[in-house]
Amino acid sequence: VTPTCQGGGRDVQGSWSACLTFVCFFPLTFCALETGNGCGHMVVYQDSGTLASKNYPGTYPNYTVCEKKIQVPQGKRLILKIGDLDIESQKCESNYLTILSSTTLHGPYCGNMMPVPKEIILDTNEATIHFESGSHVSGRGFLLSYASSDHPDLITCLERANHYMKTEYSRYCPAGCRDVAGDISGNIVEGYRDTSLLCKSAIHAGVIADELGGQINVILQKGASRYEGILANGILSQDGSLSDKRFMFTSNGCNKSLTLESGAIPNSQITASSSWEPTNEIGELVQWSPDKAWLQVQGPSWASNQTNLRQWLEIDLGEKKRITGIRTTGSTMLKFNFYVKTFIINYKNNNSKWKTYKGILSNEEKVFQGNSNAGGIVRNNFIPPIVARYVKVIPQTWHQRIALKLELTGCRIVQGKGPNQSAGIPTNLLSVPLGILSFLFFCIFDPGCWKQIKQPFARHQSTEFTISYNNEKEMPQKLELVTSTMAGKCSLTLSCGRVCN
Ligand SMILES: *[C@@H]1O[C@H](CO)[C@@H](O)[C@H](O)[C@H]1NC(C)=O
Ligand SMILES: *[C@@H]1O[C@H](CO)[C@@H](O)[C@H](O)[C@H]1NC(C)=O
Ligand SMILES: *[C@@H]1O[C@H](CO)[C@@H](O)[C@H](O)[C@H]1NC(C)=O
Ligand SMILES: *[C@@H]1O[C@H](CO)[C@@H](O)[C@H](O)[C@H]1NC(C)=O
Ligand SMILES: *[C@@H]1O[C@H](CO)[C@@H](O)[C@H](O)[C@H]1NC(C)=O
């Protein structure tokens, strides 16, 4: 299996052995970034991240090492929060965790012998996390979060609302909580059961993006008798039973329906690439036309006549608006099990060209996880919001036939006093001479690598990215260096901004 230089994507497990060979050949370049097969879920972003041992919260393997260098922007200090540490060892000889900065060694930590600090504040902006295991039978390993000193209220992905007594508080969630094991139940409108993981709920609610983390504002309220589970932002919340308390996230209010004002009169136009017009049992023509695509309209949805990747549904909002989310269903008809499983979004303004909405960190188009049945409503949020007049939904995968109802949510743009932004994209890039060096090294030995890395470069140069934060001013979206999850072992996503511009 050939390791790839394309980061961000999910890598195959099998590439590890190939990678290991490489690592051992060039320890100076690669091992400085990350070594070892004892690393589990790892999301490392410029300002925060989440790291866990392999198989967490299951038992970590025998004889493994995980070493990972983390850093926050220069001039800041690094804060670490240890969410869980369960390492089977008496004296930390062969199973332990250490945190090494240029000035201090913290640890080794293991077992129950010595108390493990919940929080470590370093006086440097970088550190190396080192985890090692020998032979052992049990132990979950570790899960920790880090952020810069700008966020002393950092929590880990494991905190639940019932850990806090206060009725109103604000905390900072690290990047990378979406794929950490643990339930949430409820949804943004009715609130979440207090047993739910806070940061994962915030991603589900669309308050923060998994790739960034960010500040969450929580309000604790009297519990509900039941909680409805829904799929949102790629996370499925569970149905939940009566609880004493529930929590809500405060919102900036930019969550109104943009497509239907009063539930009946569309305040926007909708068109489609094609429509399905079958005749039913009694010989009538049934129109699955685009005007059926409003979420609030009863009856069948819009369905395309052809089923291929060139189908689309286009909404004209009449004027430029701030679009923060989309809710979709399938056909909504029992007899027709049609729905769109994944889609991408294009958007534009009056006279501009169509642009593809991209994820925060990736220079790839963002593929949204849509419906998994014909009836349920699935929500996805745009972080950062799209500011545009026209939006086009382009189905990528579907079940049986492309069929869709939708609603866009957001708000009008009020000149000069739009709502403040809840999350910002940090604009300064990491400087990563080491990363670039090892990338170059890597590519010498894997020619396929160039092919893969060139595309993002080319795309980045040719696309001016215009998801904007301010009402009018449009900021280019920057690419960041990410060594992400397990894929990070063999892959690097390069910070392109500085290299290309
Ligand atoms: C580690 O090896 C020992 C001895 O072979 C075995 O009993 C144990 O189950 C192994 N532990 C794990 C986590 O695989
Ligand atoms: C929109 O935000 C307001 C608070 O500003 C909240 O009360 C309402 O439930 C939200 N609506 C949706 C659909 O999320
Ligand atoms: C749907 O496609 C079929 C064949 O591809 C074509 O004959 C038919 O006219 C199309 N129907 C509509 C409504 O476009
Ligand atoms: C876009 O077009 C609409 C009507 O066609 C017009 O009212 C609006 O001012 C235009 N906006 C811009 C930014 O040109
Ligand atoms: C918007 O942000 C600015 C500074 O970032 C702040 O001074 C102002 O109070 C905020 N306005 C609202 C409505 O939150």
Side-chain angles (χ1 to χ4, degrees):
V1 187
T2 325
T4 73
C5 273
Q6 190 161 36
R10 318 251 164 237
D11 211 327
V12 275
Q13 293 277 72
S15 65
W16 174 237
S17 56
C19 192
L20 192 67
T21 321
F22 180 82
V23 168
C24 297
F25 256 83
F26 302 102
L28 280 180
T29 55
F30 244 72
C31 294
L33 286 173
E34 180 179 334
T35 65
N37 55 358
C39 296
H41 178 66
M42 301 251 153
V43 174
V44 171
Y45 186 64
Q46 170 175 1
D47 227 25
S48 70
T50 297
L51 283 70
S53 49
K54 183 136 190 152
N55 303 338
Y56 182 87
T59 307
Y60 55 92
N62 279 340
Y63 304 109
T64 68
V65 177
C66 173
E67 192 167 295
K68 179 89 185 167
K69 187 166 169 181
I70 55 175
Q71 59 179 353
V72 292
Q74 263 185 349
K76 314 221 156 155
R77 297 166 65 192
L78 189 55
I79 300 185
L80 288 152
K81 291 268 162 111
I82 298 179
D84 190 16
L85 189 125
D86 179 35
I87 297 174
E88 185 191 88
S89 177
Q90 294 300 315
K91 300 198 194 104
C92 300
E93 288 146 328
S94 53
N95 293 274
Y96 61 86
L97 176 77
T98 60
I99 294 140
L100 177 68
S101 76
S102 59
T103 55
T104 326
L105 174 70
H106 295 267
Y109 302 117
C110 69
N112 318 319
M113 294 293 287
M114 64 191 79
V116 176
K118 285 265 170 277
E119 175 183 270
I120 299 171
I121 302 177
L122 301 174
D123 46 19
T124 56
N125 74 321
E126 52 180 50
T128 301
I129 311 295
H130 182 98
F131 167 71
E132 210 169 305
S133 76
S135 177
H136 66 104
V137 176
S138 66
R140 293 182 300 275
F142 72 94
L143 181 138
L144 62 81
S145 304
Y146 73 89
S148 80
S149 44
D150 292 350
H151 307 294
D153 53 350
L154 171 73
I155 58 177
T156 74
C157 305
L158 300 178
E159 256 85 312
R160 294 170 192 275
N162 57 10
H163 295 171
Y164 299 95
M165 302 310 282
K166 287 211 285 198
T167 54
E168 214 171 324
Y169 54 90
S170 178
R171 290 289 181 277
Y172 190 83
C173 284
C177 288
R178 186 188 57 202
D179 299 329
V180 166
D183 277 357
I184 65 168
S185 69
N187 64 66
I188 174 100
V189 180
E190 276 100 35
Y192 294 88
R193 200 171 194 276
D194 62 346
T195 49
S196 307
L197 295 172
L198 277 171
C199 296
K200 200 173 190 172
S201 301
I203 298 165
H204 184 269
V207 172
I208 57 171
D210 182 52
E211 301 90 331
L212 275 182
Q215 204 73 33
I216 60 168
N217 299 300
V218 179
I219 302 171
L220 201 62
Q221 293 183 345
K222 195 166 161 291
S225 56
R226 64 175 286 270
Y227 297 85
E228 192 195 351
I230 65 157
L231 181 61
N233 296 308
I235 298 174
L236 183 63
S237 66
Q238 308 292 315
D239 287 332
S241 56
L242 174 79
S243 73
D244 202 27
K245 301 275 185 212
R246 73 181 145 150
F247 63 97
M248 316 282 289
F249 295 102
T250 60
S251 138
N252 62 7
C254 189
N255 62 355
K256 316 266 180 315
S257 173
L258 291 178
T259 38
L260 280 193
E261 203 93 71
S262 56
I265 309 134
N267 50 14
S268 26
Q269 301 291 319
I270 195 159
T271 50
S273 52
S274 70
S275 313
W276 190 44
E277 293 179 355
T279 35
N280 63 12
E281 312 86 74
I282 53 166
E284 290 169 344
L285 205 63
V286 184
Q287 298 194 326
W288 295 61
S289 46
D291 57 302
K292 309 276 171 54
W294 305 119
L295 193 60
Q296 289 85 346
V297 170
Q298 300 295 312
S301 66
W302 164 69
S304 64
N305 188 26
Q306 285 89 30
T307 44
N308 57 37
L309 287 168
R310 293 184 303 279
Q311 304 303 314
W312 47 260
L313 194 62
E314 181 182 320
I315 300 110
D316 174 3
L317 295 170
E319 60 177 357
K320 206 174 186 183
K321 296 212 167 125
R322 183 184 311 277
I323 308 157
T324 54
I326 181 170
R327 301 201 306 145
T328 53
T329 66
S331 72
T332 68
M333 309 297 280
L334 267 181
K335 259 174 61 191
F336 302 93
N337 194 20
F338 308 155
Y339 51 92
V340 171
K341 294 196 277 190
T342 59
F343 59 88
I344 59 171
I345 294 284
N346 282 2
Y347 61 97
K348 73 175 181 102
N349 282 312
N350 275 1
N351 300 314
S352 63
K353 282 199 287 194
W354 287 104
K355 290 163 195 135
T356 303
Y357 187 82
K358 302 184 179 185
I360 286 170
L361 300 182
S362 137
N363 43 358
E364 300 282 307
E365 61 205 13
K366 172 143 178 145
V367 179
F368 293 92
Q369 190 178 339
N371 297 85
S372 53
N373 54 53
I377 298 178
V378 170
R379 180 171 44 80
N380 279 282
N381 290 93
F382 305 118
I383 304 175
I386 295 172
V387 177
R389 175 177 165 178
Y390 301 93
V391 171
K392 205 187 247 184
V393 179
I394 307 174
Q396 298 294 293
T397 58
W398 50 85
H399 186 257
Q400 290 185 7
R401 180 180 285 274
I402 293 173
L404 192 63
K405 284 188 191 182
L406 61 74
E407 174 186 52
L408 295 176
T409 55
C411 52
R412 298 188 59 174
I413 295 167
V414 184
Q415 282 295 334
K417 48 176 178 141
N420 276 0
Q421 300 310 315
S422 53
I425 290 189
T427 48
N428 48 335
L429 293 166
L430 282 179
S431 53
V432 280
L434 193 64
I436 291 165
L437 199 69
S438 28
F439 160 68
L440 293 176
F441 241 137
F442 194 65
C443 285
I444 289 168
F445 292 87
D446 181 7
C449 195
W450 285 115
K451 212 167 54 212
Q452 295 196 13
I453 205 84
K454 264 190 215 146
Q455 282 166 347
F457 279 173
R459 273 181 76 157
H460 180 52
Q461 286 173 320
S462 66
T463 321
E464 9 106 40
F465 205 86
T466 63
I467 289 170
S468 54
Y469 272 107
N470 300 329
N471 292 341
E472 293 303 323
K473 204 168 62 193
E474 302 199 327
M475 252 191 277
Q477 204 179 30
K478 295 265 170 73
L479 304 173
E480 308 286 342
L481 172 113
V482 194
T483 55
S484 108
T485 61
M486 292 179 321
K489 277 185 291 200
C490 275
S491 58
L492 270 177
T493 307
L494 280 188
S495 159
C496 178
R498 198 162 277 175
V499 182
C500 304
N501 297 343

